């Protein structure tokens, strides 16, 4: 898991990238077992036949019991998403919201999902739509008790696609993403940043900002960055350009005085860096 997580980032939206199915099995079992202990309804959304997944889950006694009692279900990816098409982000968030409310009505404390989502991001159009959806559902998770582990097979998608997906989750095991941009609240006018913003991630940062479609309040977008370890002048320039194109201002709140000094030196319109403690 990416290091440097703050309490505000740990709300249960994980990008898990794998090239060994056994490693995914272990991670999924841990994630689902934690949800079982929390009293949540559990889904495993399988990209293939359900039977092999059920057999693997049944190797963990607590999950075997949950399958028998119906608190854990193995659900088909085709029944949850339209796998041959481009995801409709708002509609998919509404579907998960309805499932979460149904779980609450049934006496559970929320809904927790492991989704093997690789078939949903194979084409450029699918990837673009799904990364936008990832940030939308991230906002929803800030408001309601829905948690998800989004699993992607590194053997089937390239490193750039992995980075584009991983950088829009608050938590990930992927080394391809140098930073994470994620929801700080449900409204979307504040976002969080962790990791490092440098030359290597400049293009990725621009793409992430566009896909997140962040929404300012009263003409200002706030980026909370207590876990941002480094930011260079390129990232600050990109933030200033982003603010100018969208006709609002950006406030970057970071614990690093160097970032504030650099922003003051560059005198970037629309961008303020505030040093936090």
């Amino acid at each position: 898991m990416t290091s440097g997580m703050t309490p505000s980032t740990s709300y249960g939206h994980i990008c898990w990238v794998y090239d060994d199915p056994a490693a995914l099995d272990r991670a999924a079992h841990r994630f689902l077992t934690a949800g079982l202990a929390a009293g949540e309804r559990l889904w495993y959304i399988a990209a293939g036949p359900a039977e092999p997944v059920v057999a693997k889950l049944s190797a963990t006694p607590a999950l075997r019991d949950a399958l028998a009692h119906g608190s854990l279900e193995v659900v088909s990816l085709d029944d949850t998403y339209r796998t041959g098409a481009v995801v409709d982000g708002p509609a998919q968030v509404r579907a998960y919201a309805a499932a979460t409310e149904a779980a609450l009505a049934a006496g559970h404390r929320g809904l927790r999902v492991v989704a093997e989502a690789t078939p949903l991001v194979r084409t450029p159009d699918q990837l673009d739509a799904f990364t936008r959806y990832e940030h939308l559902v991230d906002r929803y998770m800030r408001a309601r008790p829905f948690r998800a582990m989004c699993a992607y097979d590194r053997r089937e998608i390239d490193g750039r696609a992995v980075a584009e997906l991983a950088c829009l989750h608050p938590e990930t095991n992927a080394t391809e993403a140098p930073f994470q941009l994620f929801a700080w609240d449900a409204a979307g006018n504040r976002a969080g940043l962790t990791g490092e913003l440098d030359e290597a991630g400049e293009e990725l940062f621009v793409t992430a900002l566009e896909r997140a479609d962040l929404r300012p309040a009263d003409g200002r977008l706030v980026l909370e960055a207590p876990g941002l370890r480094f930011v260079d002048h390129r990232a600050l320039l990109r933030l200033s350009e982003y603010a100018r194109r969208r006709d609002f201002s950006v406030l970057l709140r970071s614990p690093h005085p160097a970032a504030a000094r650099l922003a003051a030196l560059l005198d970037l319109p629309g961008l303020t860096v505030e040093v936090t403690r």
Side-chain angles (χ1 to χ4, degrees), residues 83-87 117-131 156-158 161 164-165 211:
T83 56
V86 174
V87 71
T118 308
L120 305 173
V121 296
R122 287 187 172 131
T123 71
D125 286 346
Q126 284 182 313
L127 179 63
D128 179 74
F130 209 80
T131 50
E156 298 188 28
I157 57 176
D158 62 28
E164 290 179 16
L165 290 159
R211 286 176 172 167

Side-chain angles (χ1 to χ4, degrees), residues 17 69 86 102 127 139 158 238 263 275:
V17 182
H69 297 144
V86 174
L127 179 63
R139 291 181 196 166
D158 62 28
R238 293 298 195 179
V275 180

